[in-house]
Amino acid sequence: MLSRCIAVDPDTFAKEYWGRQPLHSNSASLPRDFDDLLTAGMVDELLAERGVRAPFIRMARDGGLLARDSYVGPQGFGAEMPDQVDSAKVLAEFGGGATIVLQGLHRLWPPVIDFVRGMVDDLGHPVQANAYITPASNRGFDPHYDVHDVFVLQTAGRKRWTIHAPVHRDPLSSQPWTDHRTAVSRRARDEPVLDVVPEPGDALYLPRGWIHSAQALGETSVHLTIGVSPVTVRDVLAAIVEEAGSIDDLRASLPLGIDVTDRDDTAAVVRTAMATVVDEWQNRAGSWAIGAADALATRHADRTRPEAVRPLATVDAADSLTAETVVRWRRGLVGEVVPAGERVELRLPDRTVGFPSFCGEALSRIVTGSAVSADQLPGLDAADGTVVLRRLLREAVVVPLHADGPSEAEQSTSMTGWQG
């Protein structure tokens, strides 16, 4: 999926652009346009027929958000919830120059769900998708920076993007642009680093922290913003700190009566704590590294979510499973195969599933993401393999392979399971 968004090869992108500088890729240099993901007609379908609810929709005008009740409300008998999109209200606001923002399309719209899942596999970082629909010659938001990287995919109309260098490089999620409002406003008055007008089918990459604003030109503009929340070195340090919680001295209360407003007293406590961490690190580096790695993997799974399963179809597949039925690991699911005495455990983020030890080799094969059937599992005959796969289907660990063969995304993806 990444190759659809960049005009350079992935290695060059990783070395020269990722987190460093913007990249504008015109449609002629990309594999195809983005009409399969979102068009103006698809936007109308989402607004008129798909029951979108707040906060999956926002609207903005002149750099600020509109009050929610100006575009949502109850929708009659059987749909009395007050947070549903009111298409007539949206029409009135959009016709008056307001921008429509559709949020979380990676949870709502099937083409974008598949695209985002592929981007997670390619990038290794959490990904989301929003859409911005701006009426002719209007702008949505004031100059600002985002705390995540974005890929802007223009699907209809044109927008002028004015991009300036950061005033606060690589901001964390806790460091929004409003913390630097004056500096951002001042920088936005300088000569831009990039001033471009993406055409339909063009893509634009912006690292987090880069200041930008956009204005539609002579027609309605529709673009997808693919947001990437990078895992940072600070995240690694936070995971290590969690591991340090196993040290008694670091869990101890600070002295009674300490004045944490006294810089000298507090600095002494900080130095003592740091010395303790350094001493313990020398003795526990290996175990801390493994524990922190596991914590990062679990956090990644929580933030990216594995692909959704279809409950009814999965029950039918489990009931009708044969030795030749092909299944595959559920994309994005984190799992580890661990020996446990006379048994073997499949450890998942939210539970552990136990099996007889002779299933270990077969489970290890499944975790790699290979498409398998019961009669192909190593160490098991077809009958035992069928029992194992039927259980894994019901546990939402594997999913049936599509009857018409794997999709392009499935053929190219790398699975998220790991082996112990």
Side-chain angles (χ1 to χ4, degrees), residues 7 46 71 84 86 88 99 101 113 123 134-135 149 161-162 189 216 218 241 245 250-251 259 266 329 355 364 367:
L46 281 160
Y71 53 87
Q84 296 182 86
D86 185 320
T99 289
V101 184
I113 292 172
L123 298 174
T134 306
D149 296 53
W161 286 78
T162 307
R189 294 194 291 269
V241 169
L250 294 181
R251 297 198 309 272
D259 182 3
T266 307
W329 183 264
F355 294 86
S364 295
V367 167

Side-chain angles (χ1 to χ4, degrees), residues 67-192:
R68 183 177 290 186
D69 61 5
S70 67
Y71 53 87
V72 301
Q75 295 301 297
F77 176 66
E80 292 89 351
M81 294 79 73
D83 60 352
Q84 296 182 86
V85 65
D86 185 320
S87 56
K89 288 183 177 180
V90 171
L91 169 61
E93 297 293 354
F94 185 72
T99 289
I100 302 167
V101 184
L102 295 174
Q103 302 190 128
L105 287 180
H106 59 294
R107 299 294 300 156
L108 292 175
W109 190 239
V112 176
I113 292 172
D114 292 341
F115 182 84
V116 166
R117 182 69 255 170
M119 286 292 280
V120 171
D121 293 333
D122 288 347
L123 298 174
H125 298 269
V127 180
Q128 66 168 11
N130 297 337
Y132 295 80
I133 303 92
T134 306
S137 303
N138 276 266
R139 66 185 177 90
F141 295 93
D142 289 333
H144 65 284
Y145 67 70
D146 294 322
V147 294
H148 50 268
D149 296 53
V150 298
F151 293 87
V152 176
L153 312 181
Q154 190 72 26
T155 68
R158 299 182 304 148
K159 256 188 176 181
R160 180 185 177 187
W161 286 78
T162 307
I163 301 162
H164 294 82
V167 296
H168 182 64
R169 186 171 291 276
D170 295 331
L172 301 173
S173 59
S174 59
Q175 299 170 332
W177 74 273
T178 50
D179 289 351
H180 304 272
R181 187 187 298 271
T182 301
V184 167
S185 178
R186 187 182 303 118
R187 179 62 56 85
R189 294 194 291 269
D190 293 344
E191 189 72 18

Side-chain angles (χ1 to χ4, degrees), residues 2 5-6 13 16-25 123 148-153 163 194 203-208 210 226 228 230:
L2 175 61
C5 307
I6 54 175
F13 177 77
E16 299 182 11
Y17 294 95
W18 173 248
R20 292 177 175 84
Q21 61 177 320
L23 174 64
H24 175 218
S25 302
L123 298 174
H148 50 268
D149 296 53
V150 298
F151 293 87
V152 176
L153 312 181
I163 301 162
L194 196 60
L204 178 65
Y205 166 70
L206 295 177
R208 58 193 164 113
W210 283 73
I226 308 300
V228 186

Side-chain angles (χ1 to χ4, degrees), residues 209-243:
W210 283 73
I211 299 164
H212 57 278
S213 61
Q215 180 168 351
L217 298 180
E219 56 193 320
T220 297
S221 167
V222 180
H223 78 261
L224 275 168
T225 291
I226 308 300
V228 186
S229 179
V231 182
T232 68
V233 175
R234 184 185 181 278
D235 294 321
V236 175
L237 294 175
I240 294 172
V241 169
E242 284 297 313
E243 286 300 301

